[in-house]
Amino acid sequence: MSEASAVHAHQFDDISQQHEASWNGMWVFLATEVMFFGGMFTGYTIYRYAYAQAFASASNHLDIVLGTINTAVLICSSFTMALSVRSAQLGLRKPIMIFLLLTMILGAVFLGIKFTEYYQKFDEHLVPGYDFSYEPSLARPAAIFFSFYFALTGVHALHMIIGIGLLTWLMVKAWRDRFSREYNTPVELVGLYWHFVDIIWIFLFPLLYLLGRHLG
Amino acid sequence: MKAEHVLSVRLYATVFGSLLALTLLTTGVAFIDLGGNWNALAAVAIAIGKALLVVLYFMHARYSSRLTWIFAAAGFLWLTILIGGTIDDVLTREGIGF
């Protein structure tokens, strides 16, 4: 089974060229993802510049404890994902599955905490367009901040959900013993995707949660 | 058979520990008033450092071929143009009405 997959497709000279092509293709996809999030980051930067005070004030309404914990949870999940990829490169079936499972659990914990935070925002009338209320002088730009908050974290959470779906698919393949030392590219590429989603959060966390803490 | 590096668990653990430490650092620094825009700059600088650790080690960029570097760098290059070009316009125009 795995021997068959280890044979390179006819358009490639050898298996290492095929491997490199897969990685390059994945990076091209990730470049489109960089640009996808990049548009929102650019918009955020402009409005942060225009309404620095309101953005700092609104940022302080986010839960910094949950935000920091979630950052740590996501970094842990990247670590377990890296170990799963390593196990796949060594052809160790059981460790692949254990680390995939840990990564999925940590991803689910992240989404659970995110859900709790969203719930609190609804409770505190901080969701634009849904009974939004804020200190009148800053209400309009604060609503812009929260629009960016929900758009950016929402799309990020969607990427997490898709990631957990991909991990489930890898889990089934690993269960059926499809990976080996010679053939493990799918695990590597989903790993690249998962780490990329982690990087997006590494930027979202300071930009959304830490803006106004030094102002008290 | 494949030209890939299997990195040691110790290396992954070191990167993992550094990422956690940098997370605590960025949260801690956020509470200290550095004045001007220095808080924002410190936050972004730490985030870039963390992202580099993830790209170089977790995403194996450091051990990838030169060709793969070009593919990996392209997105970030265009992102710099997108953000740099836009900010440069916003900062240098008089009286943009928001």
Side-chain angles (χ1 to χ4, degrees):
Chain A
M1 211 180 292
S2 47
E3 283 93 312
S5 313
V7 175
H8 59 86
H10 69 273
Q11 69 269 35
F12 295 110
D13 289 339
D14 53 37
I15 198 129
S16 77
Q17 191 195 35
Q18 173 172 293
H19 182 248
E20 190 186 27
S22 303
W23 276 66
N24 292 347
M26 192 63 196
W27 271 111
V28 169
F29 168 67
L30 293 181
T32 71
E33 289 275 66
V34 168
M35 298 313 285
F36 172 71
F37 281 97
M40 280 189 281
F41 276 117
T42 309
Y44 166 90
T45 310
I46 292 167
Y47 281 101
R48 152 72 172 67
Y49 166 73
Y51 303 117
Q53 193 204 346
F55 268 46
S57 153
S59 165
N60 284 348
H61 283 84
L62 299 181
D63 192 323
I64 194 167
V65 176
L66 289 182
T68 307
I69 292 173
N70 242 0
T71 307
V73 167
L74 211 51
I75 289 171
C76 289
S77 82
S78 253
F79 181 51
T80 54
M81 186 71 229
L83 292 179
S84 182
V85 169
R86 184 178 184 274
S87 311
Q89 289 169 337
L90 295 170
L92 307 167
R93 178 169 169 262
K94 253 207 183 129
I96 298 177
M97 295 175 64
I98 291 168
F99 287 122
L100 282 180
L101 185 66
L102 285 173
T103 310
M104 289 165 78
I105 291 172
L106 289 164
V109 168
F110 177 92
L111 288 171
I113 292 176
K114 201 75 235 154
F115 177 83
T116 311
E117 287 187 72
Y118 276 10
Y119 183 84
Q120 288 173 358
K121 295 294 159 292
F122 274 95
D123 222 31
E124 295 162 6
H125 304 283
L126 291 174
V127 183
Y130 183 83
D131 207 8
F132 185 79
S133 82
Y134 204 84
E135 188 194 324
S137 63
L138 297 175
R140 192 172 151 268
I144 295 176
F145 173 86
F146 282 105
S147 300
F148 274 112
Y149 169 76
F150 282 105
L152 281 161
T153 58
V155 172
H156 177 267
L158 179 65
H159 277 77
M160 296 285 298
I161 293 167
I162 293 169
I164 291 175
L166 292 169
L167 293 174
T168 312
W169 168 68
L170 287 182
M171 197 69 156
V172 172
K173 285 186 75 127
W175 177 265
R176 293 181 182 157
D177 204 11
R178 296 290 158 85
F179 300 124
S180 63
R181 284 179 83 97
E182 290 76 28
Y183 178 73
N184 47 51
T185 308
V187 188
E188 293 180 332
L189 298 191
V190 172
L192 286 181
Y193 174 85
W194 192 266
H195 297 312
F196 172 80
V197 175
D198 187 16
I199 290 176
I200 294 295
W201 184 261
I202 283 173
F203 284 96
L204 286 182
F205 172 61
L207 292 181
L208 295 173
Y209 288 76
L210 303 179
L211 276 184
R213 303 293 162 181
H214 61 288
L215 305 172
Chain B
M1 200 166 186
K2 280 202 302 190
E4 71 188 357
H5 287 257
V6 178
L7 307 185
S8 71
V9 175
R10 180 195 285 266
L11 177 60
Y12 282 130
T14 308
V15 172
F16 171 58
S18 313
L19 288 171
L20 287 182
L22 286 170
T23 301
L24 289 178
L25 179 70
T26 194
T27 304
V29 165
F31 284 93
I32 303 164
D33 192 352
L34 302 175
N37 280 320
W38 290 104
N39 279 88
L41 286 172
V44 172
I46 294 174
I48 290 175
K50 287 166 77 180
L52 274 176
L53 281 177
V54 173
V55 169
L56 287 176
Y57 297 100
F58 283 177
M59 297 172 88
H60 292 231
R62 198 178 158 190
Y63 310 93
S64 297
S65 68
R66 297 283 171 93
L67 183 60
T68 303
W69 289 4
I70 294 174
F71 280 86
F76 297 103
L77 176 69
W78 258 265
L79 179 69
T80 322
I81 296 171
L82 173 69
I83 294 184
T86 311
I87 299 304
D88 144 75
D89 189 32
V90 171
L91 291 182
T92 52
R93 264 182 217 232
E94 292 283 318
I96 289 191
F98 278 100

